[in-house]
């Protein structure tokens, strides 16, 4: 029996109806073998009786008898398979909660490796083998193990859901496709699966891209926070130093103020002590004279009294104390004057420190000859410009101003902060500021906000103003000889400074910059030589610019100077 079983293939032990090892195998007249129960049920449903394999029809239903030889062979094969499954079960993983168990395992359930969509069952490694080796089972569709395989059957027709209705966006069976979805767009599940899988691939790529963007944004934010923390720590440290120095300065000023007041009091006390000492000395002299007069008045010697009378009759010489007094010193206004002077000095130094703060953004600015009006004369280094006469014969390129004596810088700025200084000494008229990239350079132009300019000007030697909306005029204590221009692109700020006075002249705030900005210069006409002085862009070196720490050091310098108050008097 063992030798005979070795000559048979495993396919010969499987019923073609149930696709399992024979149970009570029977042989029908055509020679094919089936499980007795499988062929009986088949013939009960199908009349006339025929062979499921070769389709031979039997007019009379054959009598079924168990083939004992095949039955013994099948039993031996089943036993061999069970022993093989038993020996390999120790090597396979036992099904754990949450994992799909093998439906064919008896006793301990092993973990299923695949699920069959035809048999609607899940199999471990051992029970899966027939599906991998038997020709009849290889055609079955296997998937990763899943639970509730019944859910893959059509609830209406009890058929496998193997089609997809694109019209109703649902899975259907073969009967659904010819009955309920007859006119619909129905495709095989695999086709729709491939399409949806491709869509999911695109979706996943988009999601991954979104994730990457957000990771980059997180990194950017973390870097910003890190930089902010470093800046905050630096500012706190510098601020603590400033206020510590300022506190010490105020304490020293307070001590000096107290010393000043005490010095006044000491002078008053010394004056009073001098007067008292002098008075006490006069009192002593008067007491001595009183004693002498008393003795003389008691004398019985007529001659002695008469001879001594002229010298003792009058009081000794003394000071007239009628108008003499000691007045307490007045301290009114002493503290107020000290505080006012401290505030004034602090304000001046703060202005200087603020100017130094913006000067750290100094940019190297040079004039662009391609934009200069033909009347303008530019220096070789591009740092000076004044108005000459007559016009030069220059190409009228699209970037050149043709009606007004304007010129732009070569450099443009579209983010961050920048600063530059222009000497305006000995000029009677000028216009300075910044202009956006899209300004009109031909014909009539006014450097106003509406036309894309942020500028201030000097007119007729003493009229200062800003081309704002509405126009603004302002007076300055002194005429600036050097003007600083500072721009904070993101903040929307353009500020102008009197560099020598360290004073803010004017600021445009709340600006909305969307284009490149160019430094703008207008030396104005030379007015017959009266306004012939050039506009000069001041050079900057690293030693000219203070960083934020230097800014606070300037304040600390103030603290060291503020302590030297004068002695305050009324």
């Amino acid at each position: 029996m063992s030798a005979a079983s070795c000559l048979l293939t495993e396919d010969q032990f499987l019923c073609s109806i149930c696709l399992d090892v024979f149970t009570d195998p029977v042989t029908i007249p055509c020679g094919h073998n089936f499980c007795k129960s499988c062929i009986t049920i088949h013939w009960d449903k199908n009349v006339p009786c025929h062979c499921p394999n070769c389709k031979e029809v039997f007019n009379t239903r054959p009598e079924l008898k168990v083939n004992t030889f095949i039955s013994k062979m099948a039993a031996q094969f089943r036993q061999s398979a069970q022993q093989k499954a038993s020996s390999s079960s120790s090597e396979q993983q036992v099904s754990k909660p949450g994992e799909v168990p093998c439906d064919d395992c008896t006793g301990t359930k092993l973990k299923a490796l695949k699920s069959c969509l035809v048999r609607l069952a899940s199999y471990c490694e051992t029970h899966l083998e027939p599906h991998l080796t038997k020709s009849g089972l290889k055609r079955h569709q296997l998937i990763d193990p899943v639970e509730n395989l019944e859910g893959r059957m059509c609830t209406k027709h009890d058929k496998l859901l193997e089609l997809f209705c694109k019209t109703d966006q649902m899975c259907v069976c073969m009967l659904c496709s010819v009955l309920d979805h007859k006119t619909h767009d129905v495709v095989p599940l695999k086709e729709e699966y491939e399409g949806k899988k491709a869509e999911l691939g695109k979706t996943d790529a988009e999601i991954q891209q979104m994730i990457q963007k957000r990771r980059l944004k997180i990194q950017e934010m973390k870097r910003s926070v890190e930089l902010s923390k470093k800046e905050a720590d630096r500012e706190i440290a510098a601020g603590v130093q400033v206020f510590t120095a300022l506190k010490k300065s105020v304490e020293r000023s307070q001590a000096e103020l107290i010393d000043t007041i005490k010095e006044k009091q000491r002078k008053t006390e010394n004056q009073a002590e001098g007067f008292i000492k002098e008075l006490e000395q006069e009192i002593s002299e008067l007491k001595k004279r009183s004693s002498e007069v008393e003795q003389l008045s008691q004398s019985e010697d007529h001659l002695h009294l008469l001879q001594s009378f002229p010298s003792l009759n009058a009081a000794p010489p003394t000071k007239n104390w009628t108008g003499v007094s000691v007045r307490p010193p007045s301290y009114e206004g002493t503290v107020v004057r000290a505080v006012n002077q401290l505030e004034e000095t602090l304000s001046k130094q703060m202005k200087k420190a603020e100017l130094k703060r913006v000067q750290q953004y100094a940019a190297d600015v040079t004039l662009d000859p391609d934009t200069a009006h033909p009347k303008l004369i530019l220096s070789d280094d591009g740092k000076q410009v004044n108005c000459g006469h007559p016009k030069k014969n220059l190409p009228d390129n699209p970037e050149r101003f043709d009606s007004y004596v304007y010129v732009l810088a070569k450099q443009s700025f579209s983010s961050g902060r920048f600063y530059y200084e222009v000497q305006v000494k000995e000029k009677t008229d000028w216009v300075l500021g910044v202009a956006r990239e899209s300004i009109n350079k031909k014909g009539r132009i006014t450097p106003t906000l509406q036309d894309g300019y942020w500028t201030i000007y000097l007119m007729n030697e003493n009229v200062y103003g800003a081309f704002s909306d509405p126009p603004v005029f302002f007076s300055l204590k002194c005429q600036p000889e050097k003007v600083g221009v500072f721009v904070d692109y993101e903040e929307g700020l353009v500020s102008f400074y009197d560099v020598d006075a360290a004073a803010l002249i004017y600021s445009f705030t709340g600006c909305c910059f969307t284009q490149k900005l160019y430094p703008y210069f207008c030396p104005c006409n030379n007015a017959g030589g009266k306004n012939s002085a050039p506009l000069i862009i001041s050079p900057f070196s690293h030693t000219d610019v203070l960083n934020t720490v230097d800014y606070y050091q300037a304040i600390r310098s103030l603290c060291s100077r503020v302590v030297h108050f004068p002695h305050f008097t009324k």
Side-chain angles (χ1 to χ4, degrees):
M1 180 70 69
S2 176
S5 66
C6 294
L7 299 175
L8 300 174
T9 63
E10 294 180 357
D11 285 345
Q12 292 174 296
F13 295 110
L14 298 179
C15 172
S16 60
I17 296 177
C18 68
L19 300 176
D20 204 349
V21 178
F22 289 123
T23 301
D24 296 332
V26 296
T27 304
I28 62 176
C30 64
H32 292 112
N33 301 302
F34 304 94
C35 295
K36 184 177 182 179
S37 60
C38 291
I39 193 64
T40 300
I41 294 171
H42 179 74
W43 283 347
D44 288 343
K45 294 181 179 180
N46 297 277
V47 179
C49 300
H50 64 275
C51 176
N53 288 350
C54 66
K55 308 301 181 184
E56 182 178 346
V57 177
F58 308 110
N59 294 326
T60 304
R61 182 165 179 165
E63 182 180 355
L64 300 176
K65 294 183 178 180
V66 176
N67 188 324
T68 57
F69 176 77
I70 296 178
S71 178
K72 291 178 179 180
M73 294 288 290
Q76 184 179 2
F77 176 78
R78 184 181 291 108
Q79 182 180 4
S80 175
Q82 289 176 349
Q83 289 175 351
K84 183 178 179 181
S86 176
S87 63
S88 63
S89 63
S90 59
E91 300 176 3
Q92 300 181 49
Q93 295 183 4
V94 177
S95 176
K96 298 177 182 178
E99 294 179 340
V100 179
C102 175
D103 292 322
D104 280 8
C105 285
T106 58
T108 302
K109 295 285 187 178
L110 299 181
K111 177 182 177 181
L113 297 183
K114 293 290 181 180
S115 295
C116 175
L117 294 181
V118 178
R119 300 284 298 276
L120 297 179
S122 299
Y123 303 102
C124 64
E125 181 180 355
T126 300
H127 293 112
L128 179 65
E129 185 175 355
H131 279 79
L132 303 177
T133 57
K134 307 300 182 289
S135 58
L137 298 179
K138 285 182 179 180
R139 293 190 297 270
H140 292 188
Q141 185 178 356
L142 299 176
I143 62 173
D144 290 334
V146 294
E147 294 181 325
N148 190 27
L149 286 168
E150 293 78 9
R152 295 175 178 269
M153 301 294 290
C154 175
T155 56
K156 186 174 183 180
H157 304 107
D158 197 27
K159 297 291 183 180
L160 184 66
L161 297 172
E162 51 186 333
L163 300 173
F164 185 82
C165 177
K166 302 185 77 169
T167 304
D168 292 338
Q169 290 292 301
M170 61 183 295
C171 297
V172 296
C173 69
M174 290 295 294
L175 286 178
C176 289
S177 67
V178 298
L179 296 176
D180 302 333
H181 301 262
K182 184 176 181 180
T183 60
H184 294 180
D185 183 9
V186 177
V187 298
L189 276 182
K190 185 176 181 181
E191 180 180 330
E192 185 65 17
Y193 163 82
E194 295 295 340
K196 289 293 191 288
K197 187 175 181 181
E199 290 182 19
L200 288 175
K202 292 180 181 179
T203 301
D204 184 58
E206 293 175 357
I207 291 174
Q208 292 301 322
Q209 188 175 11
M210 293 171 66
I211 291 172
Q212 184 62 21
K213 286 182 178 179
R214 279 151 181 78
R215 283 175 176 168
L216 292 174
K217 181 58 70 175
I218 289 173
Q219 292 177 1
E220 177 186 333
M221 290 181 175
K222 286 182 177 179
R223 284 195 298 268
S224 297
V225 170
E226 186 177 346
L227 291 174
S228 176
K229 186 178 183 304
K230 290 181 179 178
E231 184 68 19
D233 291 342
R234 185 163 55 245
E235 292 293 312
I236 290 173
V240 169
Q241 291 179 2
V242 168
F243 282 97
T244 300
L246 185 58
K247 180 181 177 181
K248 290 180 179 179
S249 172
V250 171
E251 289 174 349
R252 286 194 294 268
S253 300
Q254 173 183 298
E256 186 171 340
L257 179 64
I258 292 172
D259 289 343
T260 301
I261 295 172
K262 287 184 176 181
E263 179 63 24
K264 285 187 177 184
Q265 178 61 22
R266 281 194 294 271
K267 287 183 178 180
T268 301
E269 290 176 357
N270 291 339
Q271 183 185 41
E273 288 175 359
F275 287 156
I276 291 171
K277 185 176 180 180
E278 191 175 350
L279 286 168
E280 287 177 345
Q281 188 172 356
E282 288 188 355
I283 289 172
S284 177
E285 292 293 332
L286 289 172
K287 284 183 177 181
K288 181 179 178 182
R289 177 61 58 88
S290 175
S291 176
E292 290 177 349
V293 169
E294 185 180 356
Q295 289 180 1
L296 183 62
S297 64
Q298 294 177 358
S299 174
E300 297 287 339
D301 187 343
H302 301 158
L303 180 61
H304 175 68
L305 187 147
L306 292 174
Q307 289 177 340
S308 301
F309 179 80
S311 60
L312 297 177
N313 185 43
T318 56
K319 183 176 180 179
N320 184 5
W321 294 93
T322 303
V324 178
S325 64
V326 176
R327 297 181 181 180
S330 174
Y331 305 107
E332 183 181 353
T334 302
V335 176
V336 174
R337 284 192 297 273
V339 172
N340 288 342
Q341 184 169 345
L342 175 62
E343 183 179 0
E344 181 180 353
T345 306
L346 180 61
S347 176
K348 289 180 180 179
Q349 293 299 324
M350 284 293 289
K351 288 179 179 178
K352 290 182 180 180
E354 171 63 19
L355 181 59
K356 290 295 184 183
R357 185 184 68 83
V358 300
Q359 283 177 335
Q360 68 178 309
Y361 302 105
D364 186 12
V365 174
T366 54
L367 301 170
D368 184 1
D370 291 337
T371 65
H373 184 274
K375 273 190 177 183
L376 294 180
I377 301 173
L378 277 60
S379 63
D380 292 339
D381 61 0
K383 297 293 186 180
Q384 300 186 29
V385 58
N386 63 339
C387 185
H389 189 79
K391 290 184 178 180
K392 298 187 292 294
N393 186 16
L394 297 174
D396 187 18
N397 63 60
E399 300 302 316
R400 190 180 305 284
F401 292 98
D402 64 355
S403 297
Y404 293 91
V405 287
Y406 300 165
V407 61
L408 300 180
K410 292 180 179 180
Q411 293 75 21
S412 65
F413 304 88
S414 56
S415 64
R417 301 164 181 164
F418 66 94
Y419 174 85
Y420 64 95
E421 291 180 354
V422 183
Q423 181 178 305
V424 296
K425 184 179 180 181
E426 299 178 357
K427 292 194 67 63
T428 61
D429 300 88
W430 49 260
V431 187
L432 292 173
V434 292
R436 68 186 178 208
E437 184 177 24
S438 63
I439 57 171
N440 180 30
K441 299 184 178 70
K442 308 298 181 182
R444 182 176 179 80
I445 304 170
T446 305
T448 61
L449 293 178
Q450 295 82 354
D451 293 329
Y453 295 81
W454 291 265
T455 59
I456 64 170
Y457 62 85
L458 167 64
M459 185 185 304
N460 300 326
E461 297 189 49
N462 58 6
V463 179
Y464 290 92
F467 284 110
S468 60
D469 185 20
V472 172
F473 299 94
F474 40 80
S475 60
L476 303 177
K477 292 182 179 180
C478 58
Q479 191 170 27
E481 294 188 354
K482 186 182 291 185
V483 175
V485 183
F486 172 70
V487 176
D488 188 327
Y489 195 96
E490 283 73 21
E491 188 69 21
L493 173 70
V494 182
S495 295
F496 300 86
Y497 293 88
D498 180 344
V499 176
D500 296 324
L504 178 66
I505 298 175
Y506 185 78
S507 287
F508 292 94
T509 59
C511 308
C512 183
F513 301 130
T514 58
Q515 302 179 18
K516 292 179 180 179
L517 296 180
Y518 288 83
Y520 157 88
F521 308 83
C522 174
C524 298
N525 292 317
N526 61 17
K530 188 177 180 180
N531 189 40
S532 61
L535 291 175
I536 303 174
I537 302 173
S538 300
F540 266 94
S541 65
H542 293 294
T543 57
D544 295 325
V545 182
L546 293 179
N547 56 25
T548 305
V549 176
D550 294 324
Y551 160 69
Y552 284 110
Q553 287 175 345
I555 302 299
R556 290 198 294 273
S557 175
L558 158 68
C559 296
S560 66
R561 290 196 295 271
V562 161
V563 298
H564 302 294
F565 285 110
H567 292 286
F568 296 103
T569 57
K570 184 178 178 181

